Amino acid sequence: MNCTIMFYVVLLSLISRVLTEKYAPYTEEQFQLWLDDWNQLTHAEMHLITKIFWSDEIASDDEIDVLESEFEKSIMLSANFSQEKLRELKKFDWRSFKDSNLKRAFLRAVIVIGDSGISDSQRVHKWKQIKSDMNTMYTTSKIIYKNKTLSLEPNLTSVFQSNRNYTFLRTMWKLWRDSSGKKLAKLYPEYINLSNEAVKDYDFKDYGEYSRSSFETNNLPDDLDEIYSQLEGLYKLLHRYVRKKLGEIYKLKNTGLLPAHILGDLWAQQWHNIFEDIKPYKNKTLLDVTSKMREKNMAPRDLFLIAEEFYTSLGLDPLPETFWNNSLFEKPNDGREVNCHASAWDFYDGKDFRIKMCTTVSMNDMFVVHHEMGHIQYYMNYKHQPFHFKEGANPGFHEALGDLMTLSVMTPGHLYKIKLIDELVEDEEQDINFLLFMALRNIAFAPFSLAVEKWRWSVFSGNTTPDNYNLDWWKFRCKYQGLVPPVDRFQDDFDPGSKYHIAAGVPYDRYFVSLILKFQFHETLCKASNHKGPLFKCDIYQSKEAGKKLKHMMEKGSSESWNKVLYEFTDGKTDKLDPSAMLEYFKPLHEWLLKQDLSENEWNCNDYLDLKNNIVHGYDTNFASRQTSKLIEMLAFLIVLFNIF
Ligand code: X8Z
Ligand code: ZN
């Protein structure tokens, strides 16, 4: 051993002895001290890191160069700090704690730093680098079509919203996957290995189990399956209705499945953009108020003002001046490469909260703005909590807050109140139209969100190996959503990486949970605001009672178990995720769909999954080859016939 190494070994053992002794004998009282220390340091650390991340996501190339080294330094600093804290944490015997608040604080701390288990600094660095590279690759992906460069936002998003040319959409669908996901394919296996390595230190089986631990149950996959089984009937009816209508438009064949590129969205995750093409009652008023918003010359910032007004009408606090000064509301047109995926930011100083969004003036974006502002409201309301409780009761609560508002804002009654529709027509046909629009957004989203996370859990657990990444992706998407790709997909394609949350490593189970929760919240708040009549007509606008309940829930952050928070919020109705409010909301549509003349939809994914050759057949290729084989059969029959006579 040479002198320098010797020196570091002695130094490290001294440091570790000092640290070990600082909190010894690892009692409950010592844990409180540990928490106080950790909180103070983490707030400061996270404030700095968030500032760097923010600048990295919106800065110009020159600025990025300057930030790069600061960024490198800070991620290593934070990794070392968390690792040291994780080591200390493991020494406390939390099961023997008497104070339940401290027990909970302990479990929250494990969630916050439980993925800091990689001790080799080069490997930590590699993990952070891969994550950052995948994120950058995705957010800077562009496609070239007929010598024109198209970006995801606003170009491709708008193509899928409004273009109805089957083959053009198919081309765009494939080009996006070639230019985004496929490029990430090589990095993903290493990302998975390192993620798993990062959580092994705290006895999590794999990263999927670690990420599920925020939901405080060992049973999340089964729980979600059980909930979905209650929604599946309605989804399948919706699927059959959509297939019938799109079948008429595009002359689709009757396979029970749908091609994934004609549902108004690049990932077929929410289908409301095709509403106008397939709505049952054609002569009813438009539900999409985009044209009205543009007619009124609205600017992106106006959408934020509308959303803020909704929140303050409930008695919640207005946004601070810093929010308006520091947020990014529009895609810069000075050549900067910003990450356009909408997000809300907490800078952990109790003052600075921001939204980053490349807003376009459209109804769709108006709802995204409400969604993001829900995150900001949560941040503002739990700002007094210690760091480990600065989260939603579970991650689904955080996602549900803003979406909950959109259930009110989208009602024709509300849009009329805020002068985005001129005339309010309320009859059964209009109701069915409206509910279909909402089902295309919400019911269609349930199997998508489940498929995404089921795939990722399968990858983390090793059930899905790199060879089968793409094949299994389509297995899940076909099984849950009844969708197949429009063109053949091969082993070297990596379609999951063409979705932001896979490329950026953002969990997706939270959106499924939030989908269920928001209807439970809506039901409770409608009752609190004295709403009479069907749930789908309820608008909680201006209800101070609803606002009070929300504030109370948000202020708790994650300081209590989500079951307890939900129980209190629903006035003792339930402490569980329960889709019955959602089913109640859609009941009139469900009954209407049952009366329609719709063909059965037992879909058979095996027709499209060629396991032997690791190919997922495209909707059209399969059709063509099936047609050819039918033709050959017919010819053979004719030849035989010809020979006989
Ligand atoms: O990513 C988001 C938000 C930010 S948390 C814009 N959402 C998911 C997605 O876009 O896939 C909201 C709905 C689902
Ligand atoms: Zn969100």
Side-chain angles (χ1 to χ4, degrees):
M1 207 182 272
N2 72 31
C3 288
T4 335
I5 297 179
M6 192 70 167
F7 170 76
Y8 281 113
V9 170
V10 173
L11 188 67
L12 270 175
S13 70
L14 273 177
I15 294 175
S16 97
R17 195 166 323 145
V18 171
L19 288 173
T20 313
E21 271 154 23
K22 187 169 173 196
Y23 301 106
Y26 293 93
T27 58
E28 217 162 328
E29 291 72 36
Q30 296 304 105
F31 182 59
Q32 186 60 61
L33 287 178
W34 183 95
L35 269 182
D36 296 344
D37 254 18
W38 176 60
N39 253 281
Q40 204 183 359
L41 292 165
T42 306
H43 269 119
E45 173 92 13
M46 285 307 291
H47 178 63
L48 175 74
I49 295 215
T50 310
K51 266 178 30 189
I52 294 171
F53 268 117
W54 171 271
S55 310
D56 196 41
E57 293 220 342
I58 69 152
S60 68
D61 285 347
D62 306 348
E63 281 172 306
I64 285 173
D65 286 343
V66 180
L67 284 167
E68 204 96 292
S69 64
E70 219 181 317
F71 181 70
E72 295 263 316
K73 258 189 277 163
S74 84
I75 55 173
M76 287 316 293
L77 212 82
S78 115
N80 292 342
F81 172 68
S82 301
Q83 217 175 80
E84 174 191 313
K85 290 286 146 194
L86 186 63
R87 269 198 298 271
E88 290 165 13
L89 198 61
K90 286 174 82 175
K91 299 205 167 126
F92 292 100
D93 177 20
W94 65 278
R95 285 187 183 83
S96 68
F97 289 180
K98 303 234 163 18
D99 181 339
S100 59
N101 194 38
L102 271 190
K103 247 186 194 171
R104 185 163 179 83
F106 182 92
L107 294 172
R108 291 290 320 158
V110 171
I111 292 172
V112 178
I113 53 179
D115 65 346
S116 317
I118 307 179
S119 43
D120 177 334
S121 64
Q122 270 181 346
R123 288 185 74 68
V124 177
H125 189 264
K126 181 136 204 218
W127 187 41
K128 308 271 167 181
Q129 195 59 52
I130 289 182
K131 287 201 277 190
S132 153
D133 287 351
M134 290 202 304
N135 199 354
T136 309
M137 277 173 167
Y138 180 92
T139 51
T140 55
S141 291
K142 290 189 178 47
I143 67 168
I144 312 277
Y145 180 71
K146 295 198 171 160
N147 292 329
K148 279 208 184 105
T149 305
L150 304 178
S151 58
L152 176 61
E153 293 190 43
N155 309 116
L156 280 170
T157 310
S158 119
V159 162
F160 278 81
Q161 269 167 17
S162 49
N163 194 293
R164 297 293 173 254
N165 181 322
Y166 188 94
T167 44
F168 176 70
L169 287 172
R170 191 172 62 193
T171 306
M172 293 290 125
W173 188 97
K174 182 175 180 319
L175 282 175
W176 171 247
R177 279 151 184 84
D178 288 346
S179 75
S180 55
K182 203 166 182 166
K183 295 189 179 144
L184 272 63
K186 287 210 167 58
L187 297 179
Y188 209 72
E190 183 72 345
Y191 159 74
I192 293 295
N193 288 340
L194 288 164
S195 303
N196 282 339
E197 190 178 327
V199 297
K200 285 265 159 63
D201 214 35
Y202 211 88
D203 301 332
F204 291 108
K205 240 178 23 228
D206 60 50
Y207 197 86
E209 188 178 277
Y210 162 71
S211 113
R212 291 192 294 273
S213 65
S214 315
F215 292 91
E216 300 169 52
T217 160
N218 293 328
N219 233 8
L220 193 68
D222 291 344
D223 292 351
L224 300 193
D225 270 342
E226 208 285 310
I227 288 164
Y228 183 62
S229 71
Q230 298 179 55
L231 294 173
E232 198 175 10
L234 179 52
Y235 175 70
K236 287 201 163 165
L237 271 176
L238 183 71
H239 187 283
R240 279 158 69 183
Y241 176 81
V242 169
R243 225 178 54 232
K244 178 179 175 180
K245 290 288 176 179
L246 289 185
E248 287 160 13
I249 299 172
Y250 295 109
K251 309 279 169 284
L252 298 178
K253 63 211 152 108
N254 200 14
T255 60
L257 286 152
L258 277 165
H261 67 300
I262 49 169
L263 291 150
D265 179 88
L266 191 45
W267 307 277
Q269 63 183 65
Q270 287 174 308
W271 304 352
H272 54 276
N273 289 323
I274 58 165
F275 168 76
E276 283 301 325
D277 307 326
I278 63 164
K279 68 181 179 187
Y281 301 108
K282 296 281 177 213
N283 300 327
K284 293 290 159 183
T285 28
L286 270 182
L287 286 175
D288 193 315
V289 294
T290 300
S291 50
K292 186 75 185 171
M293 293 166 80
R294 292 185 184 159
E295 202 181 284
K296 288 183 148 209
N297 268 332
M298 283 184 164
R301 191 173 267 260
D302 295 327
L303 275 52
F304 289 82
L305 290 169
I306 291 177
E308 186 193 33
E309 200 275 326
F310 191 92
Y311 284 94
T312 53
S313 88
L314 304 176
L316 296 170
D317 288 340
L319 299 161
E321 199 53 34
T322 44
F323 171 85
W324 298 103
N325 295 336
N326 296 338
S327 290
L328 181 124
F329 296 138
E330 287 179 65
K331 185 171 180 169
N333 56 7
D334 53 9
R336 272 190 281 159
E337 288 281 4
V338 306
N339 172 358
C340 269
H341 191 87
S343 51
W345 297 60
D346 184 352
F347 284 74
Y348 299 102
D349 62 355
K351 303 188 282 244
D352 198 349
F353 311 100
R354 307 179 195 176
I355 286 177
K356 170 186 65 64
M357 180 168 165
C358 301
T359 321
T360 55
V361 176
S362 67
M363 174 148 141
N364 213 39
D365 273 9
M366 183 163 88
F367 300 132
V368 180
V369 169
H370 282 79
H371 173 99
E372 295 308 328
M373 218 173 263
H375 289 306
I376 301 286
Q377 276 293 338
Y378 232 133
Y379 300 149
M380 294 197 317
N381 279 288
Y382 62 46
K383 66 178 185 199
H384 58 282
Q385 290 283 358
F387 187 81
H388 49 279
F389 292 149
K390 280 194 160 88
E391 261 302 340
N394 75 32
F397 278 61
H398 226 297
E399 295 302 337
L401 217 286
D403 269 16
L404 162 70
M405 304 301 153
T406 67
L407 292 182
S408 290
V409 179
M410 273 181 184
T411 56
H414 185 81
L415 293 172
Y416 180 70
K417 270 183 224 158
I418 62 169
K419 300 192 169 43
L420 285 177
I421 49 181
D422 296 328
E423 189 196 356
L424 186 59
V425 183
E426 291 198 277
D427 60 29
E428 264 175 48
E429 294 188 349
Q430 185 74 17
D431 289 349
I432 294 297
N433 267 3
F434 172 71
L435 282 172
L436 181 76
F437 180 84
M438 295 303 274
L440 293 169
R441 271 182 80 85
N442 292 283
I443 301 292
F445 185 65
F448 173 78
S449 46
L450 210 50
V452 170
E453 208 55 78
K454 286 266 174 162
W455 175 84
R456 192 161 28 192
W457 289 339
S458 177
V459 172
F460 281 131
S461 73
N463 281 343
T464 293
T465 53
D467 287 354
N468 291 327
Y469 278 171
N470 215 47
L471 189 74
D472 281 5
W473 172 254
W474 285 106
K475 265 191 205 165
F476 283 113
R477 297 209 58 198
C478 187
K479 175 180 170 200
Y480 285 103
Q481 286 189 282
L483 301 183
V484 285
V487 289
D488 283 356
R489 311 306 288 150
F490 302 96
Q491 201 175 332
D492 63 342
D493 289 314
F494 185 52
D495 297 334
S498 305
K499 171 72 193 154
Y500 173 75
H501 299 70
I502 298 294
V506 180
Y508 218 77
D509 42 6
R510 57 188 56 185
Y511 299 109
F512 181 87
V513 172
S514 124
L515 180 72
I516 309 300
L517 276 176
K518 77 174 164 191
F519 285 93
Q520 289 183 259
F521 292 171
H522 190 58
E523 185 183 51
T524 301
L525 296 183
C526 291
K527 207 164 127 211
S529 63
N530 264 326
H531 168 75
K532 301 277 175 295
L535 194 52
F536 71 88
K537 288 205 184 205
C538 165
D539 172 16
I540 62 167
Y541 188 49
Q542 292 174 331
S543 166
K544 301 288 182 286
E545 276 311 305
K548 224 191 306 170
K549 275 183 100 50
L550 281 171
K551 193 168 183 55
H552 186 63
M553 177 175 90
M554 290 191 286
E555 280 171 350
K556 288 180 200 280
S558 56
S559 63
E560 289 174 15
S561 92
W562 67 266
N563 304 86
K564 190 163 170 238
V565 176
L566 185 61
Y567 189 75
E568 196 186 329
F569 187 81
T570 59
D571 303 312
K573 189 172 180 211
T574 182
D575 64 350
K576 303 231 159 22
L577 281 184
D578 178 359
S580 58
M582 192 172 179
L583 288 167
E584 171 64 26
Y585 183 99
F586 286 109
K587 199 166 163 209
L589 177 74
H590 199 157
E591 285 166 356
W592 182 87
L593 282 169
L594 283 169
K595 285 190 221 135
Q596 305 309 302
D597 176 26
L598 304 171
S599 59
E600 284 303 313
N601 65 349
E602 277 323 308
W603 57 66
N604 184 359
C605 297
N606 293 336
D607 286 353
Y608 289 84
L609 300 167
D610 178 351
L611 305 186
K612 207 168 90 207
N613 298 307
N614 205 320
I615 298 172
V616 186
H617 286 298
Y619 189 80
D620 297 320
T621 356
N622 196 281
F623 181 57
S625 60
R626 219 182 282 159
Q627 293 303 89
T628 320
S629 55
K630 270 197 191 137
L631 211 70
I632 293 172
E633 267 172 39
M634 207 137 71
L635 272 175
F637 177 71
L638 283 178
I639 291 169
V640 172
L641 215 65
F642 190 73
N643 280 341
I644 292 174
F645 298 103

